[in-house]
Amino acid sequence: MKRIREVIVVEGRYDKNTLKQAVDATVVETRGFGIFNDRERLALLRRLAAERGLILLTDSDGAGFVIRNFLKGAIPREQLKQAYIPDVPGKERRKAAPGREGKLGVEGMSPAVLLEALERAGATFEEEAAHPERRPITKADFYALGLTGAPDSAARRAALLKKLALPEHMTANALLEAVNLLYTREEFLGEDP
């Protein structure tokens, strides 16, 4: 499985699940139109774009292009790559009927089609040996650090958010997701590899 340096942005969890079968990459969901009102997720995408670059991979229907255009306006152009899937009529297996436009989305594409779309977009493929399996930072780690479950956990998280230049209103779960995307376990916890 090919490893991709950039963070790939998709619309939903089914898209993410399908993509993870094709490539080894960090994949973040917009949660459909939810990205329009989710300042925390948008801030995270901006930070990821600055550090690793983003590849937008939305459905080829009108809704996918609305989300794509929103993100194109919110993130600097030089930090974005555009991956497009072909227009293929049909419906995904899990759905009873096709979407309004009758096209397959990202979740309906084969791994080969997705890989080709990412290659055409200019994805940066990395050597697999250079990146051993990453152990994630866990909720237990947050508890051990006093970031959850302690009387002053909220204050500790607020200080960490400020230190990491992340949005001040991120929930504990959003913060955990962000640190796992931005840091290795060793970098975050100060452990020896």
Side-chain angles (χ1 to χ4, degrees), residues 143-156:
Y143 183 81
L145 294 168
L147 294 169
T148 59
D152 62 345
S153 293
R156 287 176 180 249

Side-chain angles (χ1 to χ4, degrees), residues 84-138:
Y84 297 95
I85 60 170
D87 280 346
V88 177
K91 72 168 192 66
E92 285 81 10
R93 278 188 228 153
R94 69 179 178 87
K95 295 181 179 175
R100 182 180 302 161
E101 296 178 35
K103 299 176 185 178
L104 287 177
V106 170
E107 74 172 278
M109 295 291 134
S110 70
V113 169
L114 294 173
L115 187 57
E116 183 181 333
L118 293 166
E119 288 172 347
R120 281 194 317 262
T124 306
F125 292 95
E126 298 181 333
E127 292 296 318
E128 290 182 39
H131 296 281
E133 189 66 32
R134 283 177 54 159
R135 281 186 29 218
I137 302 148
T138 65

Side-chain angles (χ1 to χ4, degrees), residues 67-95:
I67 293 167
R68 183 183 296 270
N69 288 331
F70 173 77
L71 291 172
K72 281 171 45 178
I75 295 171
R77 169 176 252 152
E78 65 276 5
Q79 297 171 357
L80 279 178
K81 294 179 180 177
Q82 304 287 332
Y84 297 95
I85 60 170
D87 280 346
V88 177
K91 72 168 192 66
E92 285 81 10
R93 278 188 228 153
R94 69 179 178 87
K95 295 181 179 175

Side-chain angles (χ1 to χ4, degrees), residues 31 39 109 175 180:
R31 297 180 181 140
R39 291 191 309 248
M109 295 291 134
L175 176 58
N180 271 305

Side-chain angles (χ1 to χ4, degrees), residues 125-184:
F125 292 95
E126 298 181 333
E127 292 296 318
E128 290 182 39
H131 296 281
E133 189 66 32
R134 283 177 54 159
R135 281 186 29 218
I137 302 148
T138 65
K139 288 184 178 185
D141 295 321
F142 266 29
Y143 183 81
L145 294 168
L147 294 169
T148 59
D152 62 345
S153 293
R156 287 176 180 249
R157 283 194 309 276
L160 180 60
L161 288 166
K162 186 171 186 153
K163 179 180 176 185
L164 300 179
L166 290 169
E168 66 178 302
H169 297 293
M170 285 184 108
T171 64
N173 286 337
L175 176 58
L176 181 62
E177 179 185 22
V179 296
N180 271 305
L181 290 172
L182 296 168
Y183 303 99
T184 65

